[in-house]
Amino acid sequence: MTVSELQIKQAIEQALRSFSTGHLATNALALFQSLGYRSDKKLNFSLRTSANFLTSFDEDSKLHHKNALLDEWLSVDFIFQLTWDEIISNNQFQLSCNNSAKATNPFLTSYLFFANLILPLRVFCQAS
């Protein structure tokens, strides 16, 4: 493993450890940056509820509410938007930089990154 690879691995480990304390959105941004994702395109998403998320990003009601566990969301943070041009120009190393994805879907212009805080998984047990 090269020094650069070791530094990247250590940055990722530190970013993952940071989730035990601090602010979710800040920690998520640090993790994405350690993975090589960078963008200055951010949105002030002040109402951090699932209802506001749906109003802002699911106007066509394509999100499957049950699979998305919307009732379990405590908050949602908009982390950043990564455009296709940023992916190509900055060589964002975790996403494919070939043009085949855009050729098969000409509407693909960007990725939106969010961090959700959800209720803890609950386990239901029956008394025997």
Side-chain angles (χ1 to χ4, degrees), residues 3-126:
V3 172
S4 178
E5 290 170 333
L6 183 59
Q7 290 171 333
I8 291 170
K9 182 179 176 183
Q10 289 171 339
I12 292 169
E13 287 175 4
Q14 178 59 40
L16 289 171
R17 277 192 213 102
S18 73
F19 280 97
S20 64
T21 61
H23 187 259
L24 176 64
T26 303
N27 294 337
L29 180 60
L31 175 61
F32 284 124
Q33 289 175 340
S34 72
L35 293 170
Y37 299 107
R38 287 177 177 72
S39 177
D40 292 327
K41 293 176 178 56
K42 297 179 174 62
L43 175 66
N44 184 11
F45 196 60
S46 56
L47 285 175
R48 302 168 45 225
T49 65
S50 60
N52 188 43
F53 174 85
L54 293 173
T55 301
S56 301
F57 299 103
D58 192 33
E59 293 175 355
D60 297 330
S61 299
K62 293 189 178 193
L63 184 67
H64 191 277
H65 293 216
K66 185 178 178 185
N67 289 348
L69 303 173
L70 288 174
D71 294 336
E72 306 293 319
W73 289 18
L74 298 176
S75 68
V76 57
D77 290 290
F78 182 90
I79 306 303
F80 60 83
Q81 175 184 11
L82 186 62
T83 66
W84 186 260
D85 291 336
E86 288 173 315
I87 295 167
I88 298 300
S89 67
N90 295 334
N91 194 23
Q92 306 271 342
F93 59 84
Q94 294 295 318
L95 296 175
S96 172
C97 289
N98 65 35
N99 286 325
S100 63
K102 193 163 185 177
T104 58
N105 184 354
F107 300 107
L108 177 67
T109 58
S110 66
Y111 294 90
L112 300 178
F113 291 78
F114 296 91
N116 290 32
L117 183 61
I118 61 172
L119 290 170
L121 182 62
R122 289 175 254 163
V123 178
F124 298 94
C125 301
Q126 282 186 317

